[in-house]
Amino acid sequence: MTKSVIPVGTERSVARQEANPFAFLQQEIDRLFDGFSRNFPAFTTSGAALPRMDVGETDKVIEITAELPGLETKDVQLNLADNVLTVRGEKKNEREEKNKDYHLVERSFGSFARSVQLPEGVKSEDITAEIAKGVLKVTVKKPAPKQSKQIEIKAAA
């Protein structure tokens, strides 16, 4: 695989647009992180892995599925605020092994939050969620489309 030796920022322009050295530094840092995140798409700056999430829709509902292996209902929160649905969770794992030659204790934990913008007018009572075998399935009933009414224009007298 070959890579371009020309630094290209997020705007994909080859020419330098500013002579400001700090702007150039910012472009280089952005390019570095863009390249890094391409290799690790589920990695965040906090070190926690984001769960994979699929969003699909039909005429009547929006279906959201999130892979949450090892999590149960008590480990996950679902919130709706300002038409944004947020899935939050925390995974805690502890393993202990005792043998006559060694004693091993491993602990790991991490939290995540994923958000999805929903259409205007969605109500929390129109949302159902269930988790089974590490997969969260959220179904959101779409609000009825707003009816538009044509207004008659009268000629000025």
Side-chain angles (χ1 to χ4, degrees), residues 79-97:
N79 299 318
L80 177 66
D82 297 326
N83 299 321
V84 176
L85 183 73
T86 302
V87 179
R88 292 184 196 283
E90 185 170 5
K91 185 171 185 176
K92 296 176 185 175
N93 190 14
E94 185 172 328
R95 183 179 80 139
E96 185 172 351
E97 277 184 39

Side-chain angles (χ1 to χ4, degrees), residues 99-151:
N99 199 329
K100 70 178 191 175
D101 295 337
Y102 66 92
H103 182 192
L104 171 72
V105 177
E106 290 183 326
R107 292 180 185 93
S108 64
F109 63 93
S111 60
F112 66 88
R114 296 285 313 259
S115 296
V116 176
Q117 179 75 41
L118 297 176
E120 192 174 321
V122 169
K123 297 175 186 164
S124 60
E125 56 267 12
D126 293 336
I127 300 173
T128 60
E130 59 184 35
I131 191 166
K133 297 182 181 179
V135 177
L136 174 69
K137 183 177 180 184
V138 180
T139 304
V140 181
K141 184 179 169 188
K142 286 184 175 180
K146 293 184 179 181
Q147 301 294 324
S148 66
K149 183 179 179 183
Q150 188 169 354
I151 301 171

Side-chain angles (χ1 to χ4, degrees), residues 28-60:
E28 288 297 301
I29 291 171
D30 289 345
R31 185 179 64 84
L32 174 69
F33 280 102
D34 284 346
F36 180 77
S37 65
R38 246 182 262 118
N39 294 327
F40 301 100
F43 188 75
T44 64
T45 55
S46 67
L50 293 175
R52 298 215 180 261
M53 184 180 282
D54 293 325
V55 180
E57 66 179 317
T58 65
D59 292 339
K60 298 183 184 214

